[in-house]
């Protein structure tokens, strides 16, 4: 019997590459697709020799053709950090709109189930805390972050339209802050920035007074949640993230302690529309998927820190 086939867009990215690993481990044939705008082939080079893995260098905003049957599509293509989507605003909007439309069309043609990667950013700077899936959000559509927030909100809307109008099997995951190996040191988000700064002996940059919060989920926990959601019957959006909230100032101090560094903390003005709070309500995931994160932050940070330390050492060689 032939293996089931799964297409993963954004396959060379941080999350996409971990998903490729998981589906290979589970016995699937994986087709990875990425235009390498923010992804890196180094994330999937260990998969390239495998007969179960094939890679298409392609922009999903353009027409997608994949020969042969497809059972599942996971649409993870998109710039995902502020530094990326502020530099690539139009590409970000196109991959969330045209790219999603193309993936949904392919899923319909192949009679495949599709899971799309949405984000906690659909909640904007939330007025409800913690954020649950039936909260509609507080998003500035014309602010600098709007290109990402609205691309993902549109993505959810068109995915539900295909589900309701065409009867397509769809799943929507709302991803909260995730970390782990294969993140880019220069991606602009708090965790890689703090680790990069301590490794280089620089002061850690905290915006505002550091009281804004984030909730960090280790990548293996996130992948497990996505895997369970794909094979569930839930068509509504589902939050996947770690509800353990921490202020960015406390987090910066944790990184300094972990590294044993003598770095200090320097404060800078808060960027426009930066969310003040971010914490998932994961009741739906617990109830429907029997999922909750299991990796403690101390363990996940130690793994991520050692990965970044090696990356930095290799880049200096």
């Amino acid at each position: 019997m032939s293996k089931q086939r799964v297409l993963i867009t954004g396959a060379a990215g941080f999350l996409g590459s971990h998903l490729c690993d998981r589906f290979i481990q589970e016995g699937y044939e994986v087709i990875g697709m990425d235009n390498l705008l923010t992804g890196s082939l180094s994330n999937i080079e260990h998969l390239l020799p495998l007969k179960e893995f094939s890679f298409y260098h392609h922009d999903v905003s353009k027409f997608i053709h994949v020969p042969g049957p497809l059972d599942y599509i996971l649409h993870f293509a998109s710039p995902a950090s502020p530094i990326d989507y502020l530099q690539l605003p139009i590409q970000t909007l196109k991959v969330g709109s045209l790219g999603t439309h193309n993936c949904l069309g392919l899923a319909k043609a192949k009679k495949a189930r599709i899971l799309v990667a949405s984000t906690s950013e659909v909640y904007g700077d939330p007025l409800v805390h913690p954020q649950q899936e039936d909260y509609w959000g507080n998003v500035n559509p014309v602010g600098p972050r709007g290109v990402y927030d609205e691309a993902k909100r549109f993505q959810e809307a068109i995915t539900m339209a295909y589900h309701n109008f065409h009867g397509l099997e769809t799943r929507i995951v709302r991803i909260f802050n995730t970390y782990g190996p294969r993140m880019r040191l220069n991606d602009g988000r708090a965790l890689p920035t703090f680790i990069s700064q301590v490794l280089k002996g620089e002061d850690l940059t905290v915006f505002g007074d550091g009281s804004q919060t984030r909730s960090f989920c280790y990548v293996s926990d996130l992948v497990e949640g996505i895997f369970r959601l794909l094979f569930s019957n839930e068509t509504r959006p589902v939050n996947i993230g770690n509800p353990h909230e921490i202020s960015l100032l406390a987090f910066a101090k944790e990184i300094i302690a972990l590294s044993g560094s003598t770095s200090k903390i320097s404060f800078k003005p808060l960027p426009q529309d930066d969310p003040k709070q971010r914490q998932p309500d994961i009741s739906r995931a617990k109830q429907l998927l029997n999922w909750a994160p299991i990796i403690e932050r101390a363990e996940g940070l130690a793994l991520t820190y050692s990965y970044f330390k090696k990356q930095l050492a290799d880049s200096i060689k």
Side-chain angles (χ1 to χ4, degrees):
M1 188 177 152
S2 61
K3 291 174 182 275
Q4 287 198 305
R5 302 178 84 217
V6 55
L7 169 67
I8 299 176
T9 74
F14 165 46
L15 296 180
S17 64
H18 283 284
L19 285 164
C20 290
D21 288 345
R22 176 65 186 265
F23 278 87
I24 294 280
Q25 285 163 10
E26 297 282 350
Y28 290 81
E29 183 185 332
V30 174
I31 299 139
M33 190 174 281
D34 203 302
N35 67 347
L36 304 178
L37 191 64
T38 59
S40 169
L41 278 179
S42 63
N43 289 333
I44 52 170
E45 63 186 353
H46 60 291
L47 299 176
L48 295 174
L50 302 179
K51 67 179 191 304
E52 304 87 356
F53 184 75
S54 52
F55 179 72
Y56 286 77
H57 182 201
H58 182 71
D59 178 355
V60 296
S61 301
K62 301 182 173 71
F63 176 78
I64 306 170
H65 171 66
V66 175
L70 271 182
D71 299 285
Y72 303 102
I73 297 172
L74 286 91
H75 179 34
F76 277 71
S78 178
S81 70
I83 204 165
D84 290 333
Y85 54 73
L86 296 177
Q87 288 174 349
L88 303 163
I90 293 163
Q91 293 94 325
T92 301
L93 284 158
K94 283 173 75 173
V95 75
S97 55
L98 302 174
T100 304
H101 189 207
N102 288 337
C103 289
L104 289 162
L106 182 65
K108 179 171 172 274
K110 301 285 188 181
K111 298 182 169 55
R113 178 180 298 180
I114 181 170
L115 180 146
V116 299
S118 187
T119 170
S120 61
E121 296 297 326
V122 299
Y123 301 121
D125 187 5
L127 305 175
V128 168
H129 195 72
Q131 294 80 57
Q132 56 198 58
E133 290 90 348
D134 53 9
Y135 173 53
W136 294 349
N138 177 41
V139 173
N140 176 3
V142 294
R145 301 172 77 101
V147 294
Y148 185 64
D149 303 356
E150 295 296 356
K152 293 296 191 180
R153 286 163 73 95
F154 175 85
Q155 178 187 67
E156 290 194 12
I158 194 172
T159 299
M160 286 311 297
Y162 264 76
H163 172 72
N164 293 324
F165 189 77
H166 291 301
L168 193 65
E169 285 196 43
T170 58
R171 306 289 183 267
I172 299 171
V173 59
R174 285 186 184 152
I175 297 168
F176 281 70
N177 294 75
T178 306
Y179 71 101
R182 301 185 197 154
M183 283 189 99
R184 301 202 330 268
L185 259 178
N186 63 344
D187 94 345
R189 284 180 277 199
L191 186 146
T193 300
F194 287 166
I195 292 181
S196 172
Q197 287 170 332
V198 295
L199 286 172
K200 292 174 181 173
E202 299 168 358
D203 287 350
L204 275 66
T205 307
V206 170
F207 294 103
D209 61 3
S211 64
Q212 64 274 36
T213 67
R214 296 294 182 267
S215 308
F216 296 99
C217 184
Y218 191 66
V219 64
S220 61
D221 281 334
L222 185 89
V223 166
E224 178 64 30
I226 290 166
F227 196 79
R228 292 188 190 194
L229 175 59
L230 179 67
F231 295 107
S232 75
N233 295 315
E234 185 52 58
T235 58
R236 296 173 298 172
V238 177
N239 288 339
I240 299 288
N242 191 320
H244 190 97
E245 188 183 18
I246 184 171
S247 77
L248 285 179
L249 181 57
F251 187 60
K253 289 175 179 173
E254 266 189 11
I255 302 280
I256 290 171
L258 168 71
S259 65
S261 149
T262 54
S263 295
K264 304 278 190 291
I265 291 170
S266 69
F267 294 90
K268 290 197 174 169
L270 203 59
Q272 186 184 340
D273 301 331
D274 194 48
K276 293 175 210 44
Q277 294 176 303
R278 189 63 92 224
Q279 182 192 17
D281 180 323
I282 59 168
S283 308
R284 188 175 285 181
K286 280 181 172 171
Q287 182 188 343
L288 299 171
L289 311 179
N290 192 28
W291 177 87
I294 56 173
I295 304 288
E296 294 288 341
R297 194 168 61 243
E299 181 189 351
L301 277 180
L303 291 165
T304 309
Y305 180 77
S306 59
Y307 168 80
F308 278 140
K309 194 171 182 179
K310 182 178 184 307
Q311 288 291 101
L312 201 63
D314 289 349
S315 71
I316 293 165
K317 281 177 187 171

